[in-house]
Amino acid sequence: MITIQTMDNLVIVAVIGEFTLADYKEFEEQVLYKAHFDGQVNVLFDWRDMLDYTVDVAWEEIKFMREHGREFNRVAVVTDDQWQAWSAWVSNLFIEADVLVFSDYDEAKDWVSTDE
């Protein structure tokens, strides 16, 4: 399950439990909508409560990032899990945005909210 908040050019996505393909599709819609009206999007992924994700999510993420990687400006990922941090690093290969992993939510939000 995910929750999505949007403000200005920032999309905040919190994943709780399992991250499913339907959740990822909802994220995609929000990003494309925001990018259409606001230009490049900053994204804050809060993965602290994510337990797992389905294989089709990983594949969809790669496809989406390859096709829409220019839509992103900054991506912050909040997690303490090394595999999730590695996943964020892999995503960075497909987009031109700055991607950083944080263990502190407030630091991540401050960084991703700054347009430099």
Side-chain angles (χ1 to χ4, degrees):
M1 179 177 106
I2 65 170
T3 62
I4 298 177
Q5 298 175 335
T6 60
M7 56 186 86
D8 299 322
N9 71 330
L10 177 62
V11 177
I12 301 172
V13 181
V15 179
I16 302 159
E18 185 176 61
F19 196 12
T20 66
L21 184 58
D23 295 332
Y24 197 84
K25 293 286 190 177
E26 185 178 342
F27 158 73
E28 288 177 347
E29 289 175 16
Q30 288 292 324
V31 166
L32 294 176
Y33 180 83
K34 293 297 282 178
H36 178 75
F37 290 103
D38 298 328
Q40 285 188 316
V41 177
N42 293 334
V43 178
L44 172 58
F45 284 111
D46 183 353
W47 287 348
R48 294 173 295 174
D49 294 324
M50 182 170 74
L51 300 176
D52 197 9
Y53 58 91
T54 59
V55 174
D56 51 355
V57 168
W59 179 243
E60 183 65 23
E61 179 182 15
I62 291 169
K63 292 188 320 186
F64 183 74
M65 294 300 178
R66 287 187 69 193
E67 187 173 340
H68 299 285
R70 290 179 295 282
E71 309 290 340
F72 296 91
N73 180 44
R74 287 186 171 200
V75 178
V77 178
V78 182
T79 184
D80 289 320
D81 184 283
Q82 292 300 322
W83 286 108
Q84 292 172 0
W86 182 81
S87 172
W89 180 82
V90 168
S91 295
N92 193 30
L93 298 174
F94 301 107
I95 64 175
E96 297 173 13
D98 293 325
V99 179
L100 288 179
V101 177
F102 296 84
S103 57
D104 182 87
Y105 181 87
D106 292 327
E107 286 179 20
K109 188 171 181 188
D110 288 345
W111 178 80
V112 80
S113 298
T114 304
D115 280 328
E116 293 180 354

